[in-house]
C-alpha cells in the first residue's frame, strides 16, 4: 500500500516541488512508480495559471476517482496551486479526494500520507479528507531534496517561493503567497552537493528569480543579492553552467546584464517575459516597463553577448487588446528576434485585477493571434538555428536522445544538439560542429578536444 504515482501540471517550479516530495516519500519508505495503474496513492500536483490547466487536473482526478469503486483504499491527493486556489471547495466536484494540500504545505504530504494510513488502520472511515492550505513560515526552505536519475547532468534548484508583483492577469500571488527567499548559504550548499553527485548544470527557480533576497541581503557595491548568488555559484568547481527562470525584465539591472559578460557559466541564454508589445496593454497588465525599455534591455544583453539567445512569454487576447495593440506585439516580437517563445491565450482568473475588465477578446481572435505569433516564431527559430550551421558550439552532453540513436546536449545558447557520442562523454563540455538545423534542434558531430 505504499506505491505512489505523481502527475505534475504546469511550470518547472511544480516539477521541482513534485521531485522534492517524491524524494521525501522515498526516504520514508514509499515507492515512486511511473505507471499509474500500479499505484496505491495518486498525487496530482496542479497548476492554476490558466483555467485549462485546472480543468485538465479536475478531469484527471475524476477519472482516477472512478478507480475507487474497485479499490476503495486508493488514496487521491490534489496538491499545489489549484489546491491553494480552490481549497475545500474542490470536494464539491471531487468528493472522493483524500488530500487537498496547498503550496506552502506540500512538504507535509509524506506526513499526511503516514497519518492517513495510521488513521485508516485504526478504523477511521475511508472517505475523510485532510485539507491544509495554510501559510507556513519558512516553507520555502523545505524544497531541497532531490531524486537524481543515474548520471543526471542537469538539475533544478528552488531559490524562492511566492511573488510580490501585481500583474493584473496573474493568479500566482494568490496561489503561491508573498515572495520568500531561501538563505544563500543553503542554496550554495545544495548546489555543491548536486555537483558532487555529478550534476553539471543548475537552473535556479523562482516566480521572479531576479528579486531573490532583496529583503534579506544588502546590495554591496551595486551588486544585487541575485547576482551575488550567481557569483557564489560560479565559484563552485565542477559546475559548468548556471541558468535561471523565471526572471522579470525589471530585474535586469546593469549588474545582471554585465554578469553575462564576466560569468561565463551563465552561457548566452535569457528568458525575458514580454507579455505584450503595446505600452497601453503593458500598463493595463501592470507590467512596470515599456516596449522601448524592453528593447533597450534586449540591445544591452546583445551588446554584452552578441549571440544572446532569447525566449519569452506572451499573452494574446488580454482584455481590450485591439488589432493595433497586437500589431505592436508583432513588431516587438520581430525586433527581439527570439529563439523560443511561450504564447498563451489570455485566461480569465478569478480574484485577479483583470477579471472584471471590459473588452474580453473572443476565443477565435485569441487563437488567430496565437497562430500568427507561432508562425513568426517558427520562421525565426529556423533562421537562427540555420545561422549556426558551419559553426562550432560548446555542448554540455546530457545523455542518449529520446530515440536512442544519438546523444544530445545543449549549446551555451540553450539549443538542443544531437550528435554521435558515447556514455563516456555524459556531463562533459565538448565542441560540436553543427551540420544541420531544424526549427527546434541542431545536428552535428563532435570535434576533437583541444590538446586531446
Ligand atoms: N516571471 C514571469 C514574469 O515575467 O512575470 C511570470 C511567470 S508566470 C507564472 C508564467 C507565464 O504564464 C506568464 O509569464 C504569462 O505569460 C502566463 N500567464 C500568467 N497568467 C496568465 C493568464 N491569466 N492567462 C494566460 N497566460 C497567463
Amino acid at each position: 500500500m505504499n506505491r505512489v504515482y505523481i502527475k505534475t501540471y504546469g511550470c518547472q517550479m511544480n516539477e521541482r516541488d513534485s521531485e522534492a516530495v517524491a524524494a521525501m516519500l522515498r526516504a520514508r519508505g514509499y515507492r515512486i512508480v511511473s505507471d499509474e495503474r500500479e499505484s496505491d496513492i495518486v498525487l496530482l500536483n496542479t497548476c492554476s495559471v490558466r483555467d485549462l490547466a485546472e480543468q485538465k487536473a479536475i478531469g484527471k482526478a475524476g477519472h482516477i476517482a472512478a478507480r475507487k469503486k474497485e479499490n476503495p483504499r486508493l488514496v487521491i491527493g490534489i496538491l499545489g496551486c489549484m489546491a491553494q486556489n480552490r481549497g475545500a471547495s474542490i470536494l464539491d466536484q471531487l468528493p472522493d479526494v483524500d488530500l487537498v494540500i496547498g503550496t506552502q504545505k506540500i512538504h507535509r504530504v509524506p506526513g499526511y500520507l503516514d497519518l492517513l494510513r495510521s488513521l485508516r488502520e485504526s478504523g477511521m472511515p475511508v472517505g475523510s479528507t485532510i485539507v491544509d492550505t495554510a501559510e507556513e513560515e519558512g516553507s520555502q526552505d523545505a524544497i531541497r531534496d532531490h531524486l537524481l536519475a543515474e548520471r543526471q547532468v542537469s538539475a533544478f534548484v528552488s531559490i524562492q517561493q511566492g511573488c510580490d508583483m501585481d500583474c493584473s492577469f496573474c493568479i500566482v500571488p494568490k496561489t503561491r503567497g508573498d515572495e520568500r527567499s531561501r538563505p544563500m548559504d543553503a542554496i550554495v550548499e545544495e548546489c555543491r552537493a548536486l555537483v558532487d553527485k555529478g550534476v553539471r548544470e543548475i537552473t535556479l527557480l523562482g516566480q521572479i528569480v531576479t528579486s531573490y533576497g532583496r529583503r534579506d541581503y544588502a546590495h554591496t557595491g551595486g551588486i544585487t543579492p541575485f547576482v551575488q548568488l550567481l557569483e557564489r555559484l560560479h565559484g563552485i568547481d565542477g559546475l559548468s553552467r548556471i541558468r535561471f527562470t523565471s526572471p522579470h525584465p525589471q530585474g535586469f539591472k546593469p549588474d545582471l546584464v554585465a554578469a553575462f559578460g564576466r560569468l561565463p557559466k551563465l552561457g548566452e541564454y535569457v528568458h525575458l517575459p514580454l507579455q505584450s508589445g503595446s505600452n497601453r496593454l503593458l500598463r493595463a497588465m501592470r507590467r512596470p516597463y515599456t516596449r522601448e525599455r524592453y528593447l533597450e534591455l534586449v540591445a544591452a544583453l546583445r551588446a554584452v553577448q552578441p549571440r544572446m539567445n532569447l525566449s519569452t512569454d506572451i499573452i494574446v487576447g488580454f482584455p481590450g487588446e485591439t488589432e493595433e495593440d497586437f500589431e505592436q506585439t508583432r513588431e516587438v516580437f520581430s525586433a527581439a528576434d527570439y529563439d523560443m517563445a511561450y504564447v498563451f491565450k489570455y485566461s480569465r482568473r478569478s480574484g485577479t485585477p483583470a477579471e472584471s475588465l471590459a473588452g474580453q477578446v473572443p476565443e477565435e481572435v485569441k487563437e488567430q493571434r496565437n497562430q500568427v505569433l507561432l508562425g513568426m516564431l517558427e520562421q525565426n527559430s529556423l533562421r537562427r538555428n540555420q545561422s549556426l550551421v558551419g559553426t562550432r558550439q560548446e555542448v554540455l552532453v546530457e545523455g542518449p536522445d529520446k530515440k536512442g540513436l544519438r546523444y544530445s546536449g545543449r549549446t551555451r545558447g540553450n539549443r538542443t544538439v544531437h550528435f554521435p557520442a558515447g556514455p563516456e562523454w555524459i556531463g562533459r563540455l565538448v565542441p560540436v560542429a553543427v551540420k544541420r538545423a531544424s526549427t527546434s534542434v541542431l545536428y552535428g558531430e563532435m570535434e576533437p578536444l583541444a590538446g586531446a
Side-chain angles (χ1 to χ4, degrees):
M1 293 305 289
N2 68 348
R3 295 166 303 176
V4 186
Y5 173 78
I6 307 180
K7 182 166 173 62
T8 308
Y9 296 84
C11 63
Q12 285 126 328
M13 304 244 359
N14 284 5
E15 294 286 349
R16 177 70 196 101
D17 290 348
S18 293
E19 184 203 1
V21 169
M24 288 184 259
L25 284 169
R26 188 176 275 181
R28 282 188 189 226
Y30 289 85
R31 278 177 50 208
I32 308 299
V33 296
S34 54
D35 185 345
E36 184 192 323
R37 287 164 306 181
E38 284 177 9
S39 62
D40 312 300
I41 300 163
V42 179
L43 302 176
L44 303 182
N45 189 8
T46 57
C47 169
S48 287
V49 167
R50 281 162 296 143
D51 186 53
L52 189 67
E54 286 204 354
Q55 294 311 326
K56 273 190 196 162
I58 289 171
K60 179 76 183 169
H63 197 69
I64 299 161
R67 267 179 64 196
K68 278 207 169 191
K69 288 207 180 75
E70 301 128 50
N71 176 11
R73 300 188 72 83
L74 178 74
V75 172
I76 305 175
I78 306 275
L79 321 180
C81 291
M82 187 174 79
Q84 193 70 42
N85 187 31
R86 298 190 174 213
S89 73
I90 285 178
L91 301 173
D92 298 341
Q93 249 174 307
L94 297 163
D96 290 325
V97 165
D98 303 276
L99 286 176
V100 177
I101 307 295
T103 50
Q104 299 195 33
K105 293 290 186 178
I106 203 154
H107 58 290
R108 303 259 170 227
V109 165
Y112 281 136
L113 286 177
D114 285 352
L115 176 68
L116 212 56
R117 194 152 62 170
S118 61
L119 287 175
R120 286 187 179 178
E121 276 161 13
S122 71
M124 182 192 81
V126 173
S128 313
T129 304
I130 296 173
V131 179
D132 190 355
T133 55
E135 289 182 6
E136 183 177 316
E137 207 184 314
S139 59
Q140 70 276 16
D141 301 334
I143 304 302
R144 54 169 189 260
D145 296 341
H146 290 264
L147 203 61
L148 295 180
E150 209 178 314
R151 306 204 66 186
Q152 185 172 322
V153 171
S154 188
F156 291 125
V157 169
S158 168
I159 64 168
Q160 165 212 63
Q161 294 277 342
C163 182
D164 283 352
M165 301 305 287
D166 187 29
C167 303
S168 61
F169 49 81
C170 193
I171 201 166
V172 168
K174 178 178 170 196
T175 57
R176 288 268 179 184
D178 295 341
E179 187 181 291
R180 289 112 51 218
S181 295
R182 292 179 61 198
M184 211 180 284
D185 285 346
I187 298 169
V188 174
E189 264 328 294
E190 184 175 326
C191 293
R192 226 180 239 130
L194 287 168
V195 171
D196 286 346
K197 289 183 179 136
V199 167
R200 294 290 171 260
E201 176 186 69
I202 283 174
T203 303
L204 304 176
L205 295 179
Q207 261 80 31
I208 308 283
V209 274
T210 36
S211 305
Y212 170 78
R214 62 182 168 159
R215 294 202 188 82
D216 313 300
Y217 299 96
H219 289 217
T220 38
I223 306 288
T224 51
F226 181 60
V227 175
Q228 293 170 31
L229 174 65
L230 294 177
E231 285 173 347
R232 285 191 59 188
L233 299 178
H234 203 268
I236 297 179
D237 280 341
L239 180 61
S240 305
R241 287 191 180 155
I242 306 165
R243 306 208 189 265
F244 53 84
T245 199
S246 190
H248 192 291
Q250 198 192 13
F252 279 82
K253 309 289 185 223
D255 66 326
L256 181 53
V257 174
F260 280 88
R262 67 185 175 87
L263 302 178
K265 293 180 183 178
L266 291 180
E268 285 108 47
Y269 166 66
V270 165
H271 181 66
L272 202 59
L274 168 66
Q275 313 301 358
S276 170
S278 149
N279 284 340
R280 194 179 72 82
L281 282 199
L282 286 171
R283 269 195 308 277
M285 290 175 164
R286 303 188 186 169
R287 301 284 292 180
Y289 52 87
T290 58
R291 57 192 261 128
E292 292 78 15
R293 169 72 195 122
Y294 183 94
L295 287 174
E296 269 169 32
L297 199 52
V298 169
L301 285 164
R302 288 200 170 124
V304 173
Q305 286 293 353
R307 179 66 225 192
M308 184 66 91
N309 278 18
L310 292 178
S311 62
T312 196
D313 291 345
I314 306 273
I315 296 178
V316 291
F318 183 79
E321 185 184 66
T322 61
E323 269 308 318
E324 204 184 330
D325 292 315
F326 181 60
E327 173 57 29
Q328 297 194 356
T329 296
R330 283 204 317 241
E331 276 172 22
V332 179
F333 197 84
S334 166
D337 205 14
Y338 296 116
D339 294 85
M340 246 302 285
Y342 302 90
V343 183
F344 302 102
K345 291 182 266 183
Y346 172 71
S347 171
R348 197 174 185 171
R349 309 308 292 124
S350 78
T352 59
E355 185 193 5
S356 51
L357 288 182
Q360 297 290 329
V361 176
E363 276 310 307
E364 56 280 12
V365 175
K366 288 183 197 169
E367 180 53 31
Q368 183 235 332
R369 290 177 184 170
N370 182 32
Q371 290 306 326
V372 169
L373 293 185
L374 292 180
M376 286 172 72
L377 176 66
E378 197 174 322
Q379 282 184 7
N380 220 54
S381 304
L382 183 61
R383 181 176 48 74
R384 283 188 55 92
N385 269 356
Q386 279 173 339
S387 74
L388 294 175
V389 173
T391 67
R392 167 200 257 225
Q393 298 292 314
E394 181 199 81
V395 172
L396 176 62
V397 185
E398 290 176 7
D401 62 16
K402 281 195 186 116
K403 292 182 187 158
L405 297 174
R406 303 182 180 88
Y407 273 65
S408 76
R410 272 169 300 134
T411 64
R412 294 175 58 77
N414 208 30
R415 302 309 288 177
T416 299
V417 196
H418 298 293
F419 51 97
E424 67 278 20
W425 296 102
I426 293 175
R428 295 178 65 178
L429 292 171
V430 299
V432 173
V434 180
K435 305 285 183 191
R436 270 188 312 128
S438 75
T439 313
S440 54
V441 292
L442 305 168
Y443 297 90
E445 274 164 29
M446 251 169 66
E447 294 200 327
L449 293 178

